[in-house]
Amino acid sequence: MSTFPGTRLRRLRRTGALRSLVRETRLDVSDLVYPLFVGPESMPNEELPALGRFSVDDLAREAEELLGLGISSVILFGIPEEKDDEGSGAYAAEGIVQRALRALRERYPDLVLITDVCLCEYTSHGHCGVIEDGEVANDATLELLSRTAVSHAEAGADVVAPSDMMDGRVAALRATLDEGGFTDTPIVSYAAKYASAFYGPFREAAESSPSFGDRRGYQMDPANVREALRECELDVAEGADVLMVKPALPNLDVLRAVRDRFDLPVAAYNVSGEYAMVKAAAARGWMDEQQAAMESLTAIKRAGADFVVTYWAKELAGWL
Ligand code: PBG
């Protein structure tokens, strides 16, 4: 093996064109999924623009803009007018996400409509399932999640993405979707979803903070990677079509391990806190947002993600 001075790795870094020629990982707008928040009224967010809300009426204009930028996939989150203990707004035929789906489906047949399937935005207590004896009841929640997924499919969702972390939810959703005739609706499972502080800005935007306790009884302990592989293994066995790791940046090793172990497409969620940290630092002049965002997303892809859910999708489309 030739070493210095025969070998000089800087030779291929000398110009932008040379660097581009040997670049191993590339970002492409077609790899990005943009989160969209839909609520009773539009509510722009000055500091974190991608966490702003749209009314059903305003959503179409946003969809139009996204398609114009080359972004062809969105994931929808709903903020209902009213919440209750069972999160009934999540599976109501006239629920906020169901109405948004119907508004977008006909007009934008090429837009991939993914829905987040969870109860936390819809429950008065903010947990991702129903409460029995002070705890989130796994099996009783499965039925409500299944109803939610089917109601999304009926309203026009292309893909459903359960993010609740109940055991057995992928199998439950698959069975109910199939019974309802939605055999072709894929499930993107938030398979390795950690109990994370990085969801903070999302919970504020979606009004989904738990009113008591936390989510550590169902979301994963950030200390564990073997357990993440078990989660993935079970989700594959239950019929998941895509495995997702979330949050992305603190868990690039998990992403790599999932990529190496499974042949399913792997997704990563570059969550609200990852976006907010950079936005906040950039606002103080401490780092360059575009560079930091592109470095983050490139690292997520390099670690093994086939596609990335990111609040930067819109801005990135402009930068690329
Ligand atoms: C719903 C859900 C959450 C996120 C995606 N789906 C919040 C949570 O689990 O508390 C977080 C996304 C983000 O922070 O960007 N369960």
Side-chain angles (χ1 to χ4, degrees):
M1 186 185 140
S2 152
T3 56
F4 179 83
T7 299
R8 292 176 185 267
L9 295 182
R10 285 182 53 183
R11 281 179 198 134
L12 292 172
R13 294 180 201 145
R14 206 169 44 83
T15 69
L18 277 169
R19 290 193 292 275
S20 169
L21 207 56
V22 297
R23 187 157 296 136
E24 298 173 35
T25 311
R26 276 176 215 282
L27 294 177
D28 191 300
V29 268
S30 64
D31 304 327
L32 308 178
V33 177
Y34 190 60
L36 281 178
F37 297 87
V38 55
E41 278 162 40
S42 289
M43 205 185 279
N45 186 323
E46 295 265 309
E47 289 171 305
L48 303 172
L51 288 162
R53 279 182 214 172
F54 297 94
S55 66
V56 172
D57 290 340
D58 291 344
L59 202 57
R61 214 169 316 131
E62 181 71 3
E64 192 111 25
E65 197 182 327
L66 294 172
L67 284 166
L69 288 165
I71 297 163
S72 51
S73 302
V74 296
I75 180 162
L76 294 171
F77 296 94
I79 300 100
E81 206 135 2
E82 279 168 28
K83 303 178 191 244
D84 57 33
D85 285 352
E86 287 79 39
S88 60
Y91 39 89
E94 287 304 314
I96 186 82
V97 164
Q98 290 79 358
R99 288 197 287 128
L101 287 164
R102 284 193 292 266
L104 296 175
R105 178 67 303 151
E106 301 260 299
R107 279 175 76 177
Y108 308 103
D110 293 333
L111 187 62
V112 177
L113 300 173
I114 306 173
T115 57
D116 183 86
V117 174
C118 195
L119 301 184
C120 64
E121 293 115 59
Y122 306 89
T123 50
S124 35
H125 45 74
H127 278 288
C128 303
V130 285
I131 307 292
E132 282 173 12
D133 302 325
E135 286 194 34
V136 174
N138 193 88
D139 301 13
T141 299
L142 294 182
E143 200 210 312
L144 304 183
L145 294 168
S146 299
R147 280 164 67 176
T148 304
V150 169
S151 75
H152 289 173
E154 280 170 348
D158 292 298
V159 179
V160 293
S163 70
D164 53 284
M165 289 304 277
M166 298 303 120
D167 286 320
R169 80 270 172 78
V170 173
L173 261 60
R174 186 70 274 155
T176 325
L177 286 166
D178 288 356
E179 277 165 33
F182 298 103
T183 51
D184 287 335
T185 303
I187 298 175
V188 171
S189 175
Y190 285 73
K193 175 171 176 177
Y194 289 91
S196 171
F198 292 98
Y199 307 150
F202 171 99
R203 289 188 191 162
E204 211 169 296
E207 295 173 13
S208 65
S209 295
S211 61
F212 66 91
D214 54 43
R215 302 212 205 289
R216 281 182 265 203
Y218 41 106
Q219 297 180 345
M220 277 188 55
D221 183 341
N224 297 349
V225 62
R226 292 193 305 269
E227 187 187 353
L229 295 172
R230 294 188 73 197
E231 283 284 1
C232 290
E233 211 153 60
L234 289 167
D235 284 0
V236 172
E238 290 179 28
D241 297 280
V242 176
L243 299 169
M244 184 143 77
V245 175
K246 173 190 178 190
L249 289 179
N251 302 302
L252 295 182
D253 59 326
V254 180
L255 201 49
R256 170 48 54 193
V258 172
R259 169 72 298 153
D260 287 345
R261 178 84 66 96
F262 301 94
D263 291 328
L264 278 77
V266 175
Y269 200 136
N270 175 223
V271 303
S272 59
E274 301 174 52
Y275 167 76
M277 280 196 296
V278 174
K279 283 271 184 208
R284 301 189 69 160
W286 286 347
M287 58 171 96
D288 180 82
E289 184 186 0
Q290 177 177 342
Q291 241 177 293
M294 291 181 74
E295 184 177 329
S296 299
L297 293 164
T298 302
I300 293 165
K301 283 202 70 186
R302 191 194 64 224
D306 294 297
F307 65 89
V308 188
V309 182
T310 177
Y311 300 93
W312 272 303
K314 248 178 110 171
E315 283 164 284
L316 202 95
W319 296 332
L320 287 173

